[in-house]
Amino acid sequence: MNATKLVQALLFLWAVGAEGASCPNLQLQQNFTVDKFMGVWYMVQAEDNIFQTLKSCLASTFTLLAENKIQVDSKGLDSSGASATTQSTMEVDPQNPAHMVTDFVPGVQPPFDILDTDYTNYACVHSCIAVVGFKTEFVFIYARNRTLESKLVEHCRKLFETNGITTTNLEDVPQSNCDRSEL
């Protein structure tokens, strides 16, 4: 890691309230099938993140570009309520496809780890970066629709908590009043 990337990573960790520790060693989705995961996913719960510019009505379309490369086109509303879009890519780990590395945050390659998904309703996603004794982690709950049954939300929350991941900062991502024609 060059000096610039190291500084960016350290600033990233500091900015989100990093704490001294290492990332948990999690059991990711077994027999994960990348093709089944492709398509539109709505973020229904997440932790507040200064690097995430889309704050409501967040919908991401995952498209397989090559065997191990995914493009993520996201659209939604920013903190002022204006329509906004982002585009990023993810590299799939061929040894463990439920583990991907993203370019969501410039200069840092946070993981996108899928702990569980049924491909048609929900996905429980974890991201953690640990550098020089500092750790920051985020959890996300995605759904194929703008809403998700509470039992499936609870399933993800319990899965995170069973793995020692705090869900106290997990909040609903507003998915109402989303004029689809503008997004």
Side-chain angles (χ1 to χ4, degrees):
M1 178 179 286
N2 68 35
T4 302
K5 285 189 177 183
L6 178 59
V7 169
Q8 289 174 330
L10 291 173
L11 287 172
F12 169 76
L13 294 172
W14 174 80
V16 294
E19 58 187 67
S22 60
C23 293
N25 185 14
L26 303 172
Q27 180 68 41
L28 302 184
Q29 173 89 24
Q30 293 293 305
N31 302 312
F32 180 76
T33 305
V34 174
D35 289 340
K36 288 182 179 181
F37 192 77
M38 296 301 98
V40 177
W41 286 96
Y42 298 92
M43 187 180 292
V44 294
Q45 285 199 345
E47 295 175 301
D48 191 32
N49 179 341
I50 63 170
F51 296 102
Q52 188 171 324
T53 57
L54 303 175
K55 301 295 184 181
S56 62
C57 301
L58 179 56
S60 296
T61 302
F62 293 77
T63 306
L64 191 61
L65 298 177
E67 185 177 348
N68 293 319
K69 188 168 187 160
I70 297 170
Q71 180 171 306
V72 183
D73 294 298
S74 299
K75 48 186 164 178
L77 304 175
D78 64 17
S79 58
S80 70
S83 293
T85 61
T86 62
Q87 186 177 73
S88 56
T89 58
M90 299 193 312
E91 295 290 330
V92 178
D93 179 347
Q95 301 302 314
N96 186 355
H99 171 72
M100 300 169 216
V101 178
T102 73
D103 65 358
F104 291 158
V105 180
V108 182
Q109 293 185 312
F112 186 91
D113 290 328
I114 300 172
L115 275 65
D116 192 28
T117 184
D118 69 353
Y119 303 103
T120 58
N121 295 293
Y122 71 92
C124 314
V125 177
H126 177 262
S127 183
C128 182
I129 299 174
V131 178
V132 215
F134 289 94
K135 173 185 84 167
T136 188
E137 64 185 332
F138 295 99
V139 292
F140 309 94
I141 300 174
Y142 286 90
R144 287 292 190 183
N145 297 299
R146 290 194 184 274
T147 59
L148 184 62
E149 290 181 58
S150 60
K151 71 179 183 178
L152 296 175
V153 170
E154 277 308 306
H155 167 76
C156 286
R157 284 177 164 266
K158 286 179 183 172
L159 180 61
F160 295 136
E161 291 167 4
T162 300
N163 282 284
I165 302 165
T166 303
T167 60
T168 55
N169 294 325
L170 206 52
E171 301 174 349
D172 288 339
V173 174
Q175 288 288 348
S176 59
N177 300 317
C178 302
D179 185 339
R180 294 175 195 230
S181 65
E182 292 180 21
L183 297 179

